[in-house]
Amino acid sequence: MARLLLTGGAGFIGSHTALVLLEAGHEVVVLDDFRNSSPKALERVQELSGRSLDLVAGSLGDPATLERAFGGGLYSRGGAIDAVIHFAGLKAVGESVRHPLLYWDVNVNGSRLLLEAMDRAGCRTIVFSSSATLYGMPERTPIVETDAVRPINPYGHSKAAVERMLADLCETGADWRVASLRYFNPVGAHPSGRIGEDPEGIPNNLFPFVSQVAVGRRPELQVFGSDWPTHDGTGMRDYIHVMDLAEGHRAALDTLLREPPQLLTLNLGSGRGHSVLDVVRAFEIASGRSVPYRLVDRRPGDAAETVADPSLAAERLGWRTSRSLEDICRDGWAWQQANPSGYR
Ligand code: WQD
């Protein structure tokens, strides 16, 4: 078993991955500044797994934080970090357009500081939280990893920049083991309803918005565009259950620890597309609540359809998604109903 550092491990995907890794017998150290997450998520992860984890509270921009993660008391007590799963970062497209330098600082400079600390500590195995957003307007769908990387917003550019940084490290001849995982649309929650997605303020993303309408926190959903070239005119996306995504991280980590130094770049998606109205309908069935909506204009920067070709991850990791849109809505509703105000 390995001792793993999860940066941003209290976040939506980080907390679900921490749970899967603890249950697989690994030791977990979480580094998080809680700017967009809650310590409660970590309490519940430990409750669900019946195991404890270590916490380094702070941000990657603070040298003392990295020293504690890779060198300080915790390090000497707990031992060296064998690998890092790097979730910490900002991920709101609209915010990145309004504050591009913030995204270049937190996402890119933060990653550079992390990689320098790893190199100094001789820890050269990392799974990176990348995003399908770096494909921009896809040339075709389903999307394969060799399709053009053409980000159309600063958030996407920051993810592409970190992927480039990692690829350059792999070309230095040192023994770096890297997996850049390009997530499609992570949604849902752990079936217990104890951990889930808890966005700050008005959700940018469809699934938490639908969920908040169903629980009565929002009056209605605005459907961005009903004239797309899709089966019902609304946007199509590849929704991946967060538990499938967490298991994909464990599979990527196991592969890196088992195989020689390499760079893996993989799409993590289901390979199935669902429209906005498909999601609304499925969520209404799962929750027994109505989700009122209004058809409005398209959102700038949106594509009609973004769906993964997940075959490379299946081939290299022996991993595929196993949960359906119905599972996603059932589990997402269990979280929302039990936690109408998230972790607050
Ligand atoms: C999904 C569909 C919208 C909200 C984004 C980021 C991407 C990744 C996942 C981090 C689209 C429609 C949405 C609403 C709507 N995040 N929609 N009404 O845009 O595919 O991807 O989240 O890595 O980087 O770009 O996800 O959930 O915002 O939109 O009609 O209130 O739902 O038009 O068709 P998206 P989304």
Side-chain angles (χ1 to χ4, degrees):
M1 289 304 131
R3 184 167 171 79
L4 309 170
L5 177 71
L6 273 58
T7 72
F12 173 38
I13 301 159
S15 56
H16 288 77
T17 304
L19 177 57
V20 165
L21 294 172
L22 285 168
E23 289 177 339
H26 293 292
E27 285 180 51
V28 170
V29 180
V30 167
L31 184 159
D32 207 306
D33 60 11
F34 301 113
R35 72 165 72 188
N36 191 17
S37 58
S38 166
K40 274 199 188 152
L42 298 182
E43 290 165 19
R44 296 187 183 182
V45 163
Q46 295 175 95
E47 179 195 297
L48 286 165
S49 63
R51 296 191 59 211
S52 62
L53 54 78
D54 286 322
L55 172 63
V56 175
S59 55
L60 293 173
D62 171 9
T65 301
L66 285 169
E67 173 52 33
R68 275 186 284 133
F70 288 100
L74 183 65
Y75 172 96
S76 50
R77 194 172 72 243
I81 300 292
D82 297 304
V84 172
I85 304 187
H86 180 29
F87 296 104
L90 302 175
K91 66 171 198 94
V93 170
E95 182 185 50
S96 80
V97 173
R98 292 190 300 276
H99 304 290
L101 294 182
L102 177 65
Y103 275 66
W104 283 93
D105 179 27
V106 173
N107 290 2
V108 181
N109 194 48
S111 298
R112 179 183 64 81
L113 293 168
L114 170 67
L115 292 167
E116 285 175 344
M118 288 177 67
D119 199 32
R120 283 195 301 272
C123 173
R124 298 190 182 94
T125 301
I126 180 169
V127 176
F128 171 55
S129 168
S130 190
S131 170
T133 204
L134 54 62
Y135 292 115
M137 288 295 175
E139 299 159 338
R140 60 177 174 173
T141 190
I143 299 170
V144 295
E145 288 83 352
T146 49
D147 283 349
V149 169
R150 282 191 308 217
I152 55 173
N153 53 64
Y155 166 63
H157 282 293
S158 73
K159 287 297 185 182
V162 178
E163 282 202 14
R164 185 65 256 164
M165 212 188 297
L166 291 164
D168 288 350
L169 278 177
C170 290
E171 286 161 19
T172 59
D175 54 345
W176 283 91
R177 291 170 168 81
V178 173
S180 288
L181 305 182
R182 295 173 176 174
Y183 309 162
F184 279 68
N185 290 63
V187 288
H190 186 265
S192 68
R194 299 287 292 148
I195 56 175
E197 187 172 11
D198 184 20
E200 291 276 339
I202 300 174
N204 300 304
N205 298 135
L206 175 69
F207 197 84
F209 203 107
V210 166
S211 186
Q212 289 187 14
V213 171
V215 82
R217 269 178 73 178
R218 310 242 172 242
E220 68 173 9
L221 168 75
Q222 294 191 326
V223 177
F224 298 144
S226 53
D227 58 349
W228 293 104
T230 63
H231 70 85
D232 63 11
T234 64
M236 297 279 283
R237 292 294 184 277
D238 184 330
Y239 296 101
I240 175 171
H241 194 298
V242 66
M243 290 307 293
D244 278 329
L245 192 58
E247 289 163 6
H249 285 73
R250 184 190 63 197
L253 180 77
D254 289 348
T255 300
L256 290 182
L257 291 173
R258 187 177 60 240
E259 295 185 0
Q262 61 183 314
L263 169 63
L264 282 173
T265 303
L266 300 170
N267 289 337
L268 293 196
S270 70
R272 286 185 311 281
H274 291 287
S275 74
V276 174
L277 294 183
D278 290 338
V279 171
V280 168
R281 204 164 293 115
F283 205 92
E284 288 184 325
I285 293 168
S287 64
R289 304 286 182 88
S290 75
V291 176
Y293 63 84
R294 194 150 43 89
L295 303 176
V296 300
D297 292 340
R298 296 180 178 186
R299 180 174 64 176
D302 266 356
E305 185 165 346
T306 305
V307 174
D309 175 333
S311 47
L312 188 57
E315 178 196 323
R316 293 295 291 109
L317 307 183
W319 167 91
R320 275 195 177 281
T321 58
S322 63
R323 295 167 178 90
S324 66
L325 179 62
E326 289 65 32
D327 296 328
I328 286 168
C329 293
R330 180 200 64 224
D331 296 342
W333 177 241
W335 152 255
Q336 186 71 83
Q337 196 178 27
N339 305 273
S341 305
Y343 291 113
R344 288 161 189 76

